[in-house]
Every structure is written in structure tokens, then in C-alpha cells.
Amino acid sequence: MAMQQDYLMRYIQQFVEALMRSTTRIEEQEDYEGAARSLDNAVGNAAEMDTDVLLGFAPESIASIVSVMGIDPRLVEYMARSLVLAGDYYGRAGDMDTSILRVQQGQALADAFGIDLDRPWEVLEEGAEVPRVAEPGAFLDD
């Protein structure tokens, strides 16, 4: 269980760092595209896949792939929310096609894993018990 906790906390920390980098890029350079790419990379890293390959899939395909991989649902929440935020940033950078795709990808993940993107994030507190990772394909039939 401790190893699973470390795994989850490591990836959540990467998302926090990516969010901080993206915020800094926007505040200091107004670099929305760079901020979006930073979030994209965090999503690819969490899935342990090449970012361009993963985000090249259609929204429903990404949801299926992530489900089969058995990624902890709390980590998937960070992935989904980061994709939606990246979509916002791509839109502000003027790349509407990528903006729409990222929002759709994030929403597909949220739908597949029962994540309500309208509620605030619940950050995992240090020392909290991590539930067993979902069985592969557990969310495909929802």
C-alpha cells in the first residue's frame, strides 16, 4: 500500500508542479500555449505514454485507454481537469481546434470515471489511505 501511495503522490506532485509552471508562464510571459503544453505533458507522464500519442486519440479512445491502464481515479481526475484547463489555455492562445479537443478529452475522462468537473478539486492529503487501483476496464460499462 505504501508503494501505491508513493506512486500516487509522485504523480499528483507532478500535476501541482505543472499547474504552477503554467500559472507562472501566464503571469510572467502571457504564454498560454506553453502553459497548455505543460499541462499536456503532465497528462502524458501520468499515463506513462508519449504525450503526442495519447493526446492524438479521440476523446472516447483516451477514456478507454486510461480505464484499461487501471490508473487511480484520483489521478484521472487531475488528468481530466488538466485537459480542460489546457483547452482553456489553447483557446486563449487562438488554437480553437486544440482547445475544443482538449476540453472534449477531459470531459470524456470525467464521464468515464464519474468525475464531476463542476465540484472543487479534492487534494489527497499526505498519509491518506489510497484505495486499490481499479480493475482494468472497470469503467467501460458505465
Side-chain angles (χ1 to χ4, degrees):
M1 189 62 85
M3 189 165 86
Q4 186 178 20
Q5 177 81 21
D6 291 344
Y7 158 83
L8 182 60
M9 291 306 293
R10 179 171 49 103
Y11 282 111
I12 288 174
Q13 180 63 35
Q14 286 179 0
F15 274 106
V16 170
E17 290 169 1
L19 288 167
M20 289 171 44
R21 281 191 305 273
S22 67
T23 301
T24 300
R25 284 192 135 162
I26 291 168
E27 289 174 354
E28 294 178 359
Q29 305 167 12
E30 292 188 29
D31 182 9
Y32 286 99
E33 186 174 355
R37 282 195 312 268
S38 179
L39 294 172
D40 286 351
N41 288 331
V43 170
N45 289 339
E48 297 182 345
M49 285 186 68
D50 179 86
T51 301
D52 292 333
V53 171
L54 178 65
L55 298 181
F57 288 111
E60 296 76 22
S61 297
I62 288 177
S64 295
I65 290 166
V66 170
S67 181
V68 168
M69 294 175 78
I71 297 173
D72 187 283
R74 286 170 295 182
L75 187 55
V76 174
E77 182 170 358
Y78 277 85
M79 295 169 72
R81 290 178 182 274
S82 293
L83 287 169
V84 171
L85 183 57
D88 178 58
Y89 290 167
Y90 278 117
R92 292 172 188 252
D95 185 349
M96 295 312 295
D97 290 339
T98 305
S99 173
I100 292 167
L101 178 61
R102 290 296 180 272
V103 170
Q104 290 173 341
Q105 290 168 327
Q107 190 62 57
L109 276 178
D111 291 346
F113 282 80
I115 298 165
D116 179 4
L117 294 176
D118 291 329
R119 72 165 173 72
W121 286 14
E122 294 177 15
V123 177
L124 183 66
E125 295 179 23
E126 191 166 339
E129 177 107 1
V130 178
R132 191 170 58 82
V133 173
E135 294 297 320
F139 300 99
L140 292 177
D141 296 328
D142 288 347

